[in-house]
Amino acid sequence: MIVPRRLQDAFATPVSEFGRYLRTETVGGVVLLVATAIALIWANSPSAELYQAIREIRVGPAALHLDLTLAQWATDGLLAVFFFVVGLELKRELVLGELSTIRRALLPVAAALGGMIVPAVLALLVGQGAPGMEKAWAIPVATDIAFALGVLALAGSALPTTARVFLLGLAVADDLGAIVIIAVLFSTGVHVVALLVAVAAAGTYWLLQRRRIRAWWLYVPLAVVTWVAMHDAGVHATIAGVLLGLLTRVKADPDEAESPAVRLEHRLQPWSAGFCVPVFALFAAGVPIGASALRAVFTEPVSLAVVVGLLVGKLVGIFASSWLVIRFVPASRPPGLDWRDLLAVSMLGGVGFTVSLLIAELALAEHEPQLVQTAKAAVLLASATASLIAAAMLVRRGRIHRLAGDPAE
């Protein structure tokens, strides 16, 4: 694959690494799709009661407040690994990549902000006054990078490589926004002592990184202590993963072939994309999809707000914000990317899935548990619809690029 020099410089990492990342995310998206299909079939089969029973099995030490259900372990435990990888990617982009300078970060950050603010506003307008909307407005703000990149790789291979770069930068900035929302909106009754323990463990992790210590047997216990303390403190445990990812060193020393962040990302990305996220989906995506359940998606204000937020809000927010930035800062426009290309990529923002399902659980499970399943169904329906619409748009744009003789790489 031949990539322009400006793109190599933008990432400050070998081109092959970027290619491996895209391929891993694409494969991860396929595995995630299979896990979702299994969950939906199982939850709507004669053995649906078995599915629910397995979700509710409790394991773990009660003395540490960790006697959690398997579904909770998937949400709080396995997704912590996913968010650790997100933290590594975010740190690398902030220090070396697309978000490392104002000029590079301007377009993806603005697009991500627009893609979060507009869906939230639309969701609040559609679901105004409905029970659960106090926090459910956050459900449509997230974009699922695995699914989005998977659809782009399958349907938009003929688009310029800058489309992938733009989507990756957008997704990283979007992840940061989702992390902030989870940390602020869903942290309740914070226990100071436990939080101080988490901070101390994370600080020790950072100090070991600064001292260039590479002993994994020190880092693993520190990561576990940070996660347990964060969970006990009342802060959502996945934030521990993000925090440690951000504290990991991303610049390689002269005697190193690669930095700790890159090394950990290479090792954990397959586990995150191939196991952690699919298992979470297996436990989270099993919702009723009968006629009454689908009818509720379009009659319940909360679920309707989710659909409108993902399908309309994401597209309008990402594209409008991008248009404004490019209009006033022409140099920020990705080379070779047409406005209609940008519109198609913006449609991919409506693929919420993983983080949207997580936020649906966090926002509704405690006070409006009867709405959780409907909200999840809305996320799945909107994400699938956004994927199909985006795929159709990308295929059309790819055909036009091929006819025009534009190189995709």
Side-chain angles (χ1 to χ4, degrees):
M1 180 175 70
I2 301 173
V3 179
R5 173 61 60 181
R6 57 179 176 274
L7 293 182
Q8 296 185 35
D9 294 340
F11 280 89
T13 53
V15 176
S16 58
E17 179 186 329
F18 183 53
R20 284 197 301 273
Y21 178 81
L22 289 178
R23 286 195 297 273
T24 302
E25 290 293 351
T26 302
V27 173
V30 173
V31 177
L32 186 57
L33 185 60
V34 171
T36 302
I38 293 173
L40 288 171
I41 294 170
W42 195 357
N44 290 276
S45 71
S47 60
E49 290 185 4
L50 175 62
Y51 173 78
Q52 294 299 333
I54 292 175
R55 290 183 80 255
E56 297 304 318
I57 293 175
R58 286 190 171 271
V59 294
L64 296 176
H65 308 291
L66 292 177
D67 53 332
L68 308 177
T69 65
L70 291 182
Q72 289 173 322
W73 275 111
T75 299
D76 293 355
L78 294 182
L79 279 193
V81 178
F82 165 73
F83 275 101
F84 179 68
V85 175
V86 168
L88 293 173
E89 177 63 24
L90 178 59
K91 177 70 174 289
R92 188 159 62 86
E93 291 298 317
L94 287 170
V95 176
L96 302 172
E98 284 298 288
L99 307 180
S100 60
T101 66
I102 293 178
R103 181 176 176 180
R104 288 179 180 177
L106 185 60
L107 181 61
V109 169
L113 284 174
M116 297 179 73
I117 293 172
V118 175
V121 171
L122 283 180
L124 284 169
L125 290 174
V126 172
Q128 188 174 17
M133 281 307 299
E134 298 84 4
K135 293 183 178 181
W137 59 265
I139 297 173
V141 303
T143 295
D144 190 290
I145 183 58
F147 262 142
L149 276 175
V151 174
L152 181 62
L154 292 172
S157 58
L159 266 65
T161 306
T162 46
R164 299 176 178 86
V165 176
F166 170 71
L167 181 60
L168 183 58
L170 162 68
V172 170
D174 184 278
D175 282 339
L176 176 59
I179 289 162
V180 172
I181 287 175
I182 292 172
V184 173
L185 206 60
F186 303 110
S187 296
T188 56
V190 175
H191 300 291
V192 177
V193 174
L195 186 61
L196 290 176
V197 172
V199 171
T204 305
Y205 178 98
W206 172 81
L207 183 62
L208 293 177
Q209 285 285 298
R210 293 275 294 180
R211 296 291 179 88
R212 274 43 180 183
I213 295 174
R214 302 180 185 181
W216 65 267
W217 49 270
L218 290 175
Y219 289 112
V220 172
L222 283 172
V224 172
V225 169
T226 304
W227 181 87
V228 172
M230 197 75 79
H231 184 276
D232 197 43
V235 179
H236 197 266
T238 53
I239 301 301
V242 179
L243 176 61
L244 295 178
L246 291 173
L247 294 176
T248 303
R249 186 164 53 87
V250 297
K251 290 184 177 180
D253 289 336
D255 63 332
E256 291 180 314
E258 54 188 9
S259 69
V262 172
R263 188 164 59 250
L264 284 168
E265 193 175 341
H266 284 171
R267 291 179 179 178
L268 293 178
Q269 179 69 18
W271 286 101
S272 172
F275 178 75
C276 296
V277 176
V279 170
F280 164 75
L282 182 64
F283 285 112
V287 298
I289 54 173
S292 58
L294 292 176
R295 192 182 310 115
V297 171
F298 298 101
T299 55
E300 286 284 352
V302 170
S303 56
L304 188 58
V306 172
V307 172
V308 173
L310 284 173
L311 285 180
V312 180
K314 278 291 188 180
L315 175 65
V316 173
I318 293 172
F319 186 77
S321 299
S322 301
W323 184 88
L324 286 172
V325 170
I326 293 172
R327 174 72 175 79
F328 293 103
V329 188
S332 65
R333 182 171 180 168
L337 208 61
D338 184 86
W339 283 116
R340 286 162 292 186
D341 300 332
L342 198 61
L343 185 66
V345 175
S346 299
M347 189 71 243
L348 284 173
V351 183
F353 206 80
T354 305
V355 182
S356 291
L357 288 175
L358 171 62
I359 294 177
E361 286 268 8
L362 298 177
L364 299 170
E366 184 176 355
H367 299 295
E368 304 292 338
Q370 74 282 2
L371 295 177
V372 173
Q373 300 287 61
T374 306
K376 286 183 177 182
V379 170
L380 295 174
L381 180 63
S383 296
T385 305
S387 298
L388 293 173
I389 294 174
M393 296 170 71
L394 290 167
V395 168
R396 177 175 174 78
R397 291 305 305 160
R399 189 181 301 120
I400 291 173
H401 277 283
R402 280 192 293 267
L403 290 173
D406 295 340
E409 308 293 349

